Amino acid sequence: MSSSIRVAICGAGPSGLSQLHAFESARQKGCEIPEIVCYEKQSDLGGQWNYTWRTGLDEYNEHVHSSMYFNLWTNLPKECAEYVDYTYDKHFGQSVPSYLPRNMFYDYIRGYAQQNNVCQYIQFNKNIQWINYLEEKNKFNIVIKDLKNDKIYSEEFDYVIIATGHYSTPFIPYLNGIETFPGRLLHSHDYRFAEDSQNKNVLIVGNGVSGEDIALELYKYGTKFIRISYRTKAKELKWPDEIKEVPSITKIDKNIVYFKDESSDRFDAIIYCTGYVHHFPYLDDNLRLKSSNSIYLPNLYKTIFWLDQPRLIYIGMQRVTFALNIANIQSWYARDFILGNIKLPATKQEMELDIKQWKIKEKNIKNIYDAFHFQKDYLIDLLNSTDYPNFNVEQMMEILFDCIKARNENILTYRDKIYTSPITNTIAKQHHTTWIKEFSQSLEDFIQK
């Protein structure tokens, strides 16, 4: 591998860090790696997990990336989001609970980056403005804005890796009469605290994962009553009395919202939990991924390589259940392609056929358990082609199944369960306080001195 080869990584969130770790791991084993530059528009690493109080625009008048809210807890066990070569036991020096508050998970990601010596490649406060492909040079042109110095410049690269995530640009549908609503109106992207909704009536639009989690936090922090409006069907979980699922909205008339079942209620706030869109305005149109949030994306071979130009690589872009592991394994696969250890099919038609076969399998997904099995098969497909460290995927699957079962049995207590790590076989520590009664974000309250 010639050191004159240049690779740009866009984003230093978990996916970007995984890609940096993949290259640094190869370098430490004696491989010659390309010149690596990672551009991160925030002033610190972590992507979504880099919490900010800001909403809307940041200090440089750029779109705020993070959708993280202050009191968020993980809604899947940490045992399903554990780095194979940097475990929670190693980071914290002891066993910790299976479900963690936001700042503990962020601390773990920071430790992973520091342990693996990847910060040397990251340039902070650098925002990608534009990427296009120069046919005459066989290179990518990247226009970068140095936010601190308010300067714009360009660089050329042989490979570009997009690792900027897909949970930062909200999807906000129109609701009939929403313009008359005088209360607080926001998308979950801008949600930060539940305390300002104490003793109020809140409507959540959308019963996906973010709708479920925010509803539970509002309940925990004393919101008077919460309604979750669903578009297709109710989840029919065992909600507390203060939370109720209602069908889609037919009309909003000032503070009164009417639903398809002819019921209505008065609300002080409406929170859109309607998801996000893949949004890459900095990419030339012939490089830009255009897709809904699906489990197997179109136009990407192995959901990694752009069909029309495989040297454009996307990492961590599909809806996932194995959290950090999928981006890590994708990064190993992408690295091995760049280093010449993996060969892609010779023609676009062969890659399209592979995508078609996976899309056929995806159509057979009927429920979340099918989705777990699908992603397990996808992981194994990638693992078989790389030297990524082995781990017990089947045990991780069993934990996911049990997590869903516990959640369906009691939505208020499932975060109190503990599991055994598939990586270390360590049993998680039972936290001294149940989730519903734990209001602390302090690491000291979760780690035994």
Side-chain angles (χ1 to χ4, degrees), residues 10-11 53 81 117 147 152 164 207 227 230 251 260 273 293-294 307 327 344 348 351 360 403 409:
C10 305
W53 59 268
N117 195 33
L147 298 174
I152 294 176
T164 51
N207 68 338
R227 297 294 178 260
Y230 58 86
K251 184 178 68 171
K260 197 173 181 179
C273 291
N293 188 19
S294 64
L307 272 179
L344 301 189
K348 179 180 176 181
M351 290 190 282
I360 290 171
C403 167
E409 288 173 351

Side-chain angles (χ1 to χ4, degrees), residues 295-307 313-318 326 329-331 333-334 342-345 350-358 361 374 377-385:
I295 201 167
Y296 204 91
L297 297 165
N299 300 315
L300 292 177
Y301 176 67
K302 302 297 182 188
T303 74
I304 300 173
F305 305 97
W306 186 244
L307 272 179
I313 292 166
Y314 287 85
I315 299 295
M317 291 298 163
Q318 71 270 59
I326 282 187
I329 296 164
Q330 286 179 335
S331 297
Y333 198 99
I342 287 178
K343 303 294 183 185
L344 301 189
E350 290 176 86
M351 290 190 282
E352 286 176 326
L353 179 60
D354 186 81
I355 293 172
K356 183 179 179 181
Q357 290 169 343
W358 281 102
K361 292 180 184 177
F374 180 94
D377 292 343
Y378 170 72
L379 278 182
I380 291 171
D381 180 55
L382 297 185
L383 282 168
N384 288 338
S385 300

Side-chain angles (χ1 to χ4, degrees), residues 54-117:
R54 292 181 182 272
T55 60
L57 299 176
D58 66 15
E59 62 269 41
Y60 299 109
N61 289 319
E62 300 288 341
H63 171 72
V64 168
H65 179 76
S66 180
S67 302
M68 191 64 52
Y69 51 93
F70 186 79
N71 290 308
L72 179 140
W73 283 55
T74 58
N75 54 23
L76 289 176
K78 75 179 195 303
E79 289 77 16
C80 298
E82 184 167 24
Y83 293 114
V84 176
D85 58 353
Y86 188 70
T87 64
Y88 289 94
D89 290 356
K90 183 175 184 177
H91 178 73
F92 290 109
Q94 60 185 268
S95 177
V96 293
S98 286
Y99 292 88
L100 302 176
R102 165 193 58 79
N103 61 333
M104 283 189 73
F105 194 79
Y106 179 54
D107 195 72
Y108 175 61
I109 292 170
R110 287 186 62 84
Y112 165 79
Q114 293 163 358
Q115 163 79 17
N116 292 299
N117 195 33

Side-chain angles (χ1 to χ4, degrees), residues 61 83 159 168 215 218 254 262 278 308 318 434:
N61 289 319
Y83 293 114
Y159 297 85
S168 61
L218 291 171
K254 298 180 180 177
E262 299 184 352
H278 286 80
D308 291 324
Q318 71 270 59
T434 60

